[in-house]
mmCIF file of all heavy atoms in Angstrom:
data_model
loop_
_atom_site.group_PDB
_atom_site.id
_atom_site.type_symbol
_atom_site.label_atom_id
_atom_site.label_comp_id
_atom_site.label_asym_id
_atom_site.label_seq_id
_atom_site.Cartn_x
_atom_site.Cartn_y
_atom_site.Cartn_z
ATOM 1 N N ALA A 1 88.296 62.608 44.199
ATOM 2 C CA ALA A 1 89.071 62.773 45.465
ATOM 3 C C ALA A 1 88.602 61.983 46.642
ATOM 4 O O ALA A 1 89.324 61.439 47.471
ATOM 5 C CB ALA A 1 89.085 64.203 45.804
ATOM 6 N N ARG A 2 87.218 61.858 46.739
ATOM 7 C CA ARG A 2 86.588 61.008 47.726
ATOM 8 C C ARG A 2 87.081 59.566 47.573
ATOM 9 O O ARG A 2 87.120 58.904 48.755
ATOM 10 C CB ARG A 2 85.083 61.160 47.743
ATOM 11 C CG ARG A 2 84.387 60.775 49.053
ATOM 12 C CD ARG A 2 82.963 60.963 48.767
ATOM 13 N NE ARG A 2 82.506 62.315 48.400
ATOM 14 C CZ ARG A 2 82.317 63.323 49.168
ATOM 15 N NH1 ARG A 2 82.332 63.144 50.557
ATOM 16 N NH2 ARG A 2 81.868 64.448 48.760
ATOM 17 N N SER A 3 87.300 59.057 46.499
ATOM 18 C CA SER A 3 87.659 57.612 46.184
ATOM 19 C C SER A 3 89.147 57.366 46.339
ATOM 20 O O SER A 3 89.541 56.234 46.439
ATOM 21 C CB SER A 3 87.146 57.204 44.890
ATOM 22 O OG SER A 3 87.851 57.939 43.818
ATOM 23 N N SER A 4 89.938 58.418 46.613
ATOM 24 C CA SER A 4 91.360 58.147 46.660
ATOM 25 C C SER A 4 91.705 57.753 48.141
ATOM 26 O O SER A 4 90.940 58.088 49.065
ATOM 27 C CB SER A 4 92.087 59.550 46.465
ATOM 28 O OG SER A 4 91.861 60.512 47.431
ATOM 29 N N PRO A 5 92.883 57.063 48.338
ATOM 30 C CA PRO A 5 93.329 56.700 49.652
ATOM 31 C C PRO A 5 93.460 57.732 50.607
ATOM 32 O O PRO A 5 93.139 57.527 51.884
ATOM 33 C CB PRO A 5 94.571 55.868 49.420
ATOM 34 C CG PRO A 5 94.473 55.451 47.936
ATOM 35 C CD PRO A 5 93.727 56.627 47.218
ATOM 36 N N ILE A 6 93.848 58.925 50.147
ATOM 37 C CA ILE A 6 94.034 60.036 51.154
ATOM 38 C C ILE A 6 92.769 60.492 51.669
ATOM 39 O O ILE A 6 92.883 61.268 52.793
ATOM 40 C CB ILE A 6 94.926 61.231 50.423
ATOM 41 C CG1 ILE A 6 95.569 62.049 51.414
ATOM 42 C CG2 ILE A 6 94.008 61.918 49.430
ATOM 43 C CD1 ILE A 6 96.392 63.148 50.727
ATOM 44 N N TRP A 7 91.667 60.224 51.145
ATOM 45 C CA TRP A 7 90.410 60.621 51.661
ATOM 46 C C TRP A 7 90.161 60.254 53.124
ATOM 47 O O TRP A 7 89.496 60.920 53.819
ATOM 48 C CB TRP A 7 89.236 60.178 50.802
ATOM 49 C CG TRP A 7 87.969 60.374 51.439
ATOM 50 C CD1 TRP A 7 87.040 59.368 52.024
ATOM 51 C CD2 TRP A 7 87.111 61.612 51.569
ATOM 52 N NE1 TRP A 7 85.854 59.905 52.415
ATOM 53 C CE2 TRP A 7 85.961 61.362 52.230
ATOM 54 C CE3 TRP A 7 87.358 62.970 51.236
ATOM 55 C CZ2 TRP A 7 85.005 62.256 52.614
ATOM 56 C CZ3 TRP A 7 86.496 63.875 51.629
ATOM 57 C CH2 TRP A 7 85.328 63.524 52.265
ATOM 58 N N ARG A 8 90.588 59.133 53.537
ATOM 59 C CA ARG A 8 90.392 58.580 54.903
ATOM 60 C C ARG A 8 90.994 59.622 55.962
ATOM 61 O O ARG A 8 90.577 59.497 57.119
ATOM 62 C CB ARG A 8 90.985 57.283 55.026
ATOM 63 C CG ARG A 8 92.512 57.089 55.019
ATOM 64 C CD ARG A 8 92.917 55.590 55.240
ATOM 65 N NE ARG A 8 94.253 55.404 55.064
ATOM 66 C CZ ARG A 8 94.824 55.144 54.048
ATOM 67 N NH1 ARG A 8 94.228 54.963 52.865
ATOM 68 N NH2 ARG A 8 96.259 54.981 54.081
ATOM 69 N N PHE A 9 91.809 60.541 55.409
ATOM 70 C CA PHE A 9 92.498 61.460 56.506
ATOM 71 C C PHE A 9 91.686 62.737 56.508
ATOM 72 O O PHE A 9 91.950 63.563 57.309
ATOM 73 C CB PHE A 9 93.984 61.674 56.141
ATOM 74 C CG PHE A 9 94.688 60.435 56.265
ATOM 75 C CD1 PHE A 9 95.329 59.758 55.216
ATOM 76 C CD2 PHE A 9 95.022 59.805 57.516
ATOM 77 C CE1 PHE A 9 96.034 58.616 55.260
ATOM 78 C CE2 PHE A 9 95.782 58.633 57.652
ATOM 79 C CZ PHE A 9 96.365 57.982 56.528
ATOM 80 N N ARG A 10 90.901 62.962 55.395
ATOM 81 C CA ARG A 10 90.327 64.386 55.312
ATOM 82 C C ARG A 10 89.300 64.665 56.449
ATOM 83 O O ARG A 10 89.321 65.819 56.818
ATOM 84 C CB ARG A 10 89.616 64.382 53.938
ATOM 85 C CG ARG A 10 90.527 64.340 52.682
ATOM 86 C CD ARG A 10 91.547 65.433 52.643
ATOM 87 N NE ARG A 10 90.699 66.761 52.423
ATOM 88 C CZ ARG A 10 90.627 67.260 51.287
ATOM 89 N NH1 ARG A 10 90.865 66.605 50.126
ATOM 90 N NH2 ARG A 10 89.856 68.422 51.187
ATOM 91 N N PRO A 11 88.433 63.730 56.804
ATOM 92 C CA PRO A 11 87.466 64.068 57.871
ATOM 93 C C PRO A 11 88.066 64.322 59.382
ATOM 94 O O PRO A 11 87.427 64.748 60.201
ATOM 95 C CB PRO A 11 86.570 63.023 57.898
ATOM 96 C CG PRO A 11 86.698 62.178 56.637
ATOM 97 C CD PRO A 11 88.227 62.474 56.360
ATOM 98 N N THR A 12 89.382 64.133 59.476
ATOM 99 C CA THR A 12 90.017 64.163 60.707
ATOM 100 C C THR A 12 89.887 65.603 61.376
ATOM 101 O O THR A 12 89.442 65.797 62.498
ATOM 102 C CB THR A 12 91.548 63.839 60.683
ATOM 103 O OG1 THR A 12 91.621 62.541 60.185
ATOM 104 C CG2 THR A 12 92.087 63.885 62.015
ATOM 105 N N PRO A 13 90.133 66.698 60.596
ATOM 106 C CA PRO A 13 90.032 68.008 61.177
ATOM 107 C C PRO A 13 88.487 68.312 61.586
ATOM 108 O O PRO A 13 88.349 69.112 62.583
ATOM 109 C CB PRO A 13 90.428 68.906 60.073
ATOM 110 C CG PRO A 13 91.136 68.177 59.196
ATOM 111 C CD PRO A 13 90.674 66.733 59.289
ATOM 112 N N LEU A 14 87.475 67.544 61.088
ATOM 113 C CA LEU A 14 86.173 67.824 61.403
ATOM 114 C C LEU A 14 85.957 67.513 62.936
ATOM 115 O O LEU A 14 85.049 68.287 63.513
ATOM 116 C CB LEU A 14 85.276 66.945 60.566
ATOM 117 C CG LEU A 14 83.813 67.112 60.706
ATOM 118 C CD1 LEU A 14 83.403 68.452 60.302
ATOM 119 C CD2 LEU A 14 83.102 65.991 59.787
ATOM 120 N N PHE A 15 86.535 66.577 63.382
ATOM 121 C CA PHE A 15 86.427 66.190 64.821
ATOM 122 C C PHE A 15 87.579 66.646 65.669
ATOM 123 O O PHE A 15 87.356 66.657 66.941
ATOM 124 C CB PHE A 15 86.376 64.607 64.835
ATOM 125 C CG PHE A 15 85.195 64.092 64.051
ATOM 126 C CD1 PHE A 15 85.563 63.516 62.780
ATOM 127 C CD2 PHE A 15 83.847 64.068 64.384
ATOM 128 C CE1 PHE A 15 84.606 63.067 61.961
ATOM 129 C CE2 PHE A 15 82.892 63.625 63.690
ATOM 130 C CZ PHE A 15 83.183 63.029 62.462
ATOM 131 N N VAL A 16 88.587 67.158 65.258
ATOM 132 C CA VAL A 16 89.679 67.600 66.022
ATOM 133 C C VAL A 16 89.620 69.082 66.208
ATOM 134 O O VAL A 16 89.874 69.566 67.385
ATOM 135 C CB VAL A 16 91.022 67.104 65.418
ATOM 136 C CG1 VAL A 16 92.235 67.771 66.103
ATOM 137 C CG2 VAL A 16 91.166 65.668 65.333
ATOM 138 N N ALA A 17 89.561 69.897 65.222
ATOM 139 C CA ALA A 17 89.616 71.298 65.321
ATOM 140 C C ALA A 17 88.572 71.984 66.117
ATOM 141 O O ALA A 17 88.975 72.702 66.976
ATOM 142 C CB ALA A 17 89.410 71.941 63.915
ATOM 143 N N PRO A 18 87.259 71.569 66.167
ATOM 144 C CA PRO A 18 86.255 72.284 67.034
ATOM 145 C C PRO A 18 86.557 72.001 68.616
ATOM 146 O O PRO A 18 86.553 73.062 69.257
ATOM 147 C CB PRO A 18 84.967 71.563 66.672
ATOM 148 C CG PRO A 18 85.151 71.284 65.129
ATOM 149 C CD PRO A 18 86.540 70.830 65.065
ATOM 150 N N PRO A 19 86.929 70.774 68.942
ATOM 151 C CA PRO A 19 87.341 70.726 70.367
ATOM 152 C C PRO A 19 88.512 71.522 70.752
ATOM 153 O O PRO A 19 88.493 72.095 71.925
ATOM 154 C CB PRO A 19 87.689 69.247 70.437
ATOM 155 C CG PRO A 19 86.781 68.574 69.475
ATOM 156 C CD PRO A 19 86.870 69.583 68.272
ATOM 157 N N ILE A 20 89.508 71.625 69.951
ATOM 158 C CA ILE A 20 90.711 72.402 70.206
ATOM 159 C C ILE A 20 90.370 73.869 70.323
ATOM 160 O O ILE A 20 90.861 74.512 71.240
ATOM 161 C CB ILE A 20 91.806 72.160 69.185
ATOM 162 C CG1 ILE A 20 92.342 70.792 69.211
ATOM 163 C CG2 ILE A 20 92.888 73.134 69.316
ATOM 164 C CD1 ILE A 20 93.319 70.397 68.143
ATOM 165 N N LEU A 21 89.553 74.307 69.335
ATOM 166 C CA LEU A 21 88.998 75.694 69.384
ATOM 167 C C LEU A 21 88.246 76.023 70.633
ATOM 168 O O LEU A 21 88.371 77.071 71.305
ATOM 169 C CB LEU A 21 88.250 76.055 68.142
ATOM 170 C CG LEU A 21 87.950 77.386 67.839
ATOM 171 C CD1 LEU A 21 89.162 78.291 67.798
ATOM 172 C CD2 LEU A 21 87.172 77.571 66.547
ATOM 173 N N ALA A 22 87.422 75.028 71.132
ATOM 174 C CA ALA A 22 86.539 75.314 72.203
ATOM 175 C C ALA A 22 87.495 75.191 73.423
ATOM 176 O O ALA A 22 87.372 76.073 74.418
ATOM 177 C CB ALA A 22 85.584 74.093 72.384
ATOM 178 N N ALA A 23 88.506 74.457 73.532
ATOM 179 C CA ALA A 23 89.445 74.320 74.738
ATOM 180 C C ALA A 23 90.158 75.654 74.855
ATOM 181 O O ALA A 23 90.392 76.102 75.987
ATOM 182 C CB ALA A 23 90.428 73.134 74.544
ATOM 183 N N THR A 24 90.604 76.181 73.760
ATOM 184 C CA THR A 24 91.299 77.504 73.806
ATOM 185 C C THR A 24 90.467 78.674 74.203
ATOM 186 O O THR A 24 90.802 79.603 74.724
ATOM 187 C CB THR A 24 92.120 77.788 72.460
ATOM 188 O OG1 THR A 24 91.130 77.716 71.317
ATOM 189 C CG2 THR A 24 93.146 76.742 72.237
ATOM 190 N N SER A 25 89.122 78.474 73.807
ATOM 191 C CA SER A 25 88.213 79.595 74.064
ATOM 192 C C SER A 25 87.818 79.775 75.625
ATOM 193 O O SER A 25 87.419 80.903 75.951
ATOM 194 C CB SER A 25 86.807 79.436 73.255
ATOM 195 O OG SER A 25 87.098 79.318 71.972
ATOM 196 N N ILE A 26 88.002 78.653 76.271
ATOM 197 C CA ILE A 26 87.679 78.953 77.780
ATOM 198 C C ILE A 26 88.554 79.861 78.508
ATOM 199 O O ILE A 26 88.145 80.353 79.533
ATOM 200 C CB ILE A 26 87.599 77.459 78.487
ATOM 201 C CG1 ILE A 26 89.074 76.969 78.507
ATOM 202 C CG2 ILE A 26 86.658 76.557 77.817
ATOM 203 C CD1 ILE A 26 89.181 75.622 79.224
ATOM 204 N N ALA A 27 89.764 80.149 77.926
ATOM 205 C CA ALA A 27 90.544 81.127 78.618
ATOM 206 C C ALA A 27 90.455 82.496 78.081
ATOM 207 O O ALA A 27 91.002 83.522 78.543
ATOM 208 C CB ALA A 27 92.023 80.651 78.541
ATOM 209 N N MET A 28 89.579 82.674 76.989
ATOM 210 C CA MET A 28 89.549 83.993 76.434
ATOM 211 C C MET A 28 88.473 84.834 77.093
ATOM 212 O O MET A 28 87.488 84.380 77.570
ATOM 213 C CB MET A 28 89.039 83.925 74.874
ATOM 214 C CG MET A 28 90.020 83.205 74.049
ATOM 215 S SD MET A 28 89.420 83.152 72.359
ATOM 216 C CE MET A 28 90.653 82.135 71.560
ATOM 217 N N PRO A 29 88.732 86.217 77.244
ATOM 218 C CA PRO A 29 87.874 87.090 77.886
ATOM 219 C C PRO A 29 86.546 87.064 77.022
ATOM 220 O O PRO A 29 86.551 86.909 75.798
ATOM 221 C CB PRO A 29 88.612 88.500 77.820
ATOM 222 C CG PRO A 29 89.939 88.162 77.618
ATOM 223 C CD PRO A 29 90.002 86.809 76.912
ATOM 224 N N VAL A 30 85.398 87.486 77.619
ATOM 225 C CA VAL A 30 83.999 87.482 77.027
ATOM 226 C C VAL A 30 84.131 88.451 75.780
ATOM 227 O O VAL A 30 83.496 88.212 74.750
ATOM 228 C CB VAL A 30 83.073 87.917 78.059
ATOM 229 C CG1 VAL A 30 81.689 88.367 77.281
ATOM 230 C CG2 VAL A 30 82.777 86.696 78.989
ATOM 231 N N GLY A 31 84.813 89.584 75.981
ATOM 232 C CA GLY A 31 84.862 90.538 74.781
ATOM 233 C C GLY A 31 85.452 89.964 73.518
ATOM 234 O O GLY A 31 84.861 90.103 72.455
ATOM 235 N N LEU A 32 86.509 89.102 73.738
ATOM 236 C CA LEU A 32 87.017 88.399 72.548
ATOM 237 C C LEU A 32 86.201 87.367 72.219
ATOM 238 O O LEU A 32 86.135 87.155 70.876
ATOM 239 C CB LEU A 32 88.369 87.859 72.871
ATOM 240 C CG LEU A 32 89.603 88.855 73.013
ATOM 241 C CD1 LEU A 32 90.922 88.142 73.461
ATOM 242 C CD2 LEU A 32 89.824 89.659 71.739
ATOM 243 N N LEU A 33 85.418 86.643 73.084
ATOM 244 C CA LEU A 33 84.539 85.622 72.638
ATOM 245 C C LEU A 33 83.493 86.122 71.710
ATOM 246 O O LEU A 33 83.048 85.499 70.807
ATOM 247 C CB LEU A 33 84.079 84.961 73.779
ATOM 248 C CG LEU A 33 84.873 84.002 74.509
ATOM 249 C CD1 LEU A 33 84.299 83.240 75.666
ATOM 250 C CD2 LEU A 33 85.442 82.825 73.468
ATOM 251 N N PHE A 34 82.947 87.352 72.069
ATOM 252 C CA PHE A 34 81.878 87.946 71.237
ATOM 253 C C PHE A 34 82.499 88.102 69.798
ATOM 254 O O PHE A 34 81.735 87.818 68.739
ATOM 255 C CB PHE A 34 81.497 89.252 71.851
ATOM 256 C CG PHE A 34 80.219 89.139 72.630
ATOM 257 C CD1 PHE A 34 80.313 89.268 74.092
ATOM 258 C CD2 PHE A 34 78.987 88.931 72.000
ATOM 259 C CE1 PHE A 34 79.131 89.131 74.771
ATOM 260 C CE2 PHE A 34 77.902 88.854 72.861
ATOM 261 C CZ PHE A 34 77.966 88.942 74.221
ATOM 262 N N TYR A 35 83.546 88.610 69.686
ATOM 263 C CA TYR A 35 84.158 88.861 68.416
ATOM 264 C C TYR A 35 84.437 87.535 67.658
ATOM 265 O O TYR A 35 84.037 87.513 66.492
ATOM 266 C CB TYR A 35 85.454 89.667 68.539
ATOM 267 C CG TYR A 35 86.249 89.940 67.281
ATOM 268 C CD1 TYR A 35 85.990 91.184 66.620
ATOM 269 C CD2 TYR A 35 87.052 89.122 66.719
ATOM 270 C CE1 TYR A 35 86.528 91.525 65.348
ATOM 271 C CE2 TYR A 35 87.692 89.362 65.458
ATOM 272 C CZ TYR A 35 87.435 90.593 64.841
ATOM 273 O OH TYR A 35 87.977 90.895 63.656
ATOM 274 N N LEU A 36 84.958 86.598 68.279
ATOM 275 C CA LEU A 36 85.253 85.251 67.705
ATOM 276 C C LEU A 36 84.061 84.568 67.404
ATOM 277 O O LEU A 36 83.905 84.037 66.301
ATOM 278 C CB LEU A 36 86.136 84.380 68.622
ATOM 279 C CG LEU A 36 86.637 83.105 68.104
ATOM 280 C CD1 LEU A 36 87.562 83.426 66.745
ATOM 281 C CD2 LEU A 36 87.634 82.348 69.098
ATOM 282 N N GLY A 37 82.959 84.637 68.137
ATOM 283 C CA GLY A 37 81.603 84.040 67.929
ATOM 284 C C GLY A 37 81.137 84.659 66.715
ATOM 285 O O GLY A 37 80.492 83.864 65.787
ATOM 286 N N ALA A 38 81.042 85.888 66.648
ATOM 287 C CA ALA A 38 80.404 86.685 65.430
ATOM 288 C C ALA A 38 81.222 86.302 64.179
ATOM 289 O O ALA A 38 80.720 86.186 63.139
ATOM 290 C CB ALA A 38 80.479 88.163 65.687
#
C-alpha cells in the first residue's frame, strides 16, 4: 500500500486534522475540553 500511487494522499490527514480539531476546541467550554482531552 505504501508503494501505491494513492499513498501520497494518505499522510494528508496527519497535518490537517489536528489543526482543525485545535481550532474547534478554542470555542469549547473547559468542562468539555477535559472530557475531549481524556
Side-chain angles (χ1 to χ4, degrees):
R2 200 183 300 274
S3 63
S4 67
I6 199 173
W7 166 255
R8 64 179 180 270
F9 299 106
R10 294 296 294 272
T12 302
L14 183 65
F15 302 101
V16 174
I20 292 177
L21 190 58
T24 57
S25 297
I26 64 175
M28 291 183 187
V30 165
L32 285 180
L33 284 182
F34 264 105
Y35 181 89
L36 189 56

